[in-house]
Short mmCIF file of all heavy atoms in Angstrom, two decimals:
data_model
loop_
_atom_site.label_atom_id
_atom_site.label_comp_id
_atom_site.label_asym_id
_atom_site.label_seq_id
_atom_site.Cartn_x
_atom_site.Cartn_y
_atom_site.Cartn_z
N LYS A 209 13.47 -56.26 -35.97
CA LYS A 209 13.40 -55.49 -37.26
C LYS A 209 11.92 -55.04 -37.47
O LYS A 209 10.97 -55.70 -37.09
CB LYS A 209 13.81 -56.42 -38.40
CG LYS A 209 15.27 -56.78 -38.37
CD LYS A 209 15.68 -57.57 -39.52
CE LYS A 209 17.22 -57.88 -39.53
NZ LYS A 209 17.50 -58.78 -40.72
N ILE A 308 2.34 -16.00 -12.31
CA ILE A 308 2.63 -14.91 -13.33
C ILE A 308 3.84 -15.45 -14.13
O ILE A 308 3.74 -15.24 -15.38
CB ILE A 308 2.96 -13.57 -12.61
CG1 ILE A 308 1.72 -13.06 -11.94
CG2 ILE A 308 3.57 -12.62 -13.62
CD1 ILE A 308 2.00 -11.76 -11.12
N GLN A 340 0.83 0.31 -28.25
CA GLN A 340 0.23 1.41 -29.10
C GLN A 340 -1.35 1.55 -28.91
O GLN A 340 -1.82 2.57 -28.76
CB GLN A 340 0.52 1.18 -30.52
CG GLN A 340 1.94 1.55 -31.02
CD GLN A 340 2.34 2.91 -30.71
OE1 GLN A 340 3.21 3.20 -29.92
NE2 GLN A 340 1.66 3.90 -31.38
N MET A 425 0.82 -0.89 11.18
CA MET A 425 0.72 -1.58 12.55
C MET A 425 1.50 -0.64 13.59
O MET A 425 0.94 -0.50 14.59
CB MET A 425 1.35 -2.92 12.41
CG MET A 425 1.26 -3.69 13.76
SD MET A 425 2.00 -5.37 13.66
CE MET A 425 1.74 -5.94 15.31
N GLU A 464 -11.10 6.21 13.42
CA GLU A 464 -12.46 5.75 13.26
C GLU A 464 -12.94 5.04 14.43
O GLU A 464 -14.09 5.23 14.91
CB GLU A 464 -12.54 4.88 12.06
CG GLU A 464 -13.94 4.16 11.83
CD GLU A 464 -15.10 5.12 11.70
OE1 GLU A 464 -14.84 6.24 11.21
OE2 GLU A 464 -16.22 4.68 12.08
N LEU A 762 5.72 -4.84 18.02
CA LEU A 762 5.06 -4.73 19.35
C LEU A 762 6.13 -4.35 20.40
O LEU A 762 5.86 -3.60 21.27
CB LEU A 762 4.47 -6.12 19.71
CG LEU A 762 3.17 -6.47 18.94
CD1 LEU A 762 2.68 -7.92 19.29
CD2 LEU A 762 2.01 -5.39 19.18
#
Side-chain angles (χ1 to χ4, degrees):
K209 294 182 178 180
I308 291 171
Q340 285 299 117
M425 183 181 179
E464 172 58 30
L762 290 174

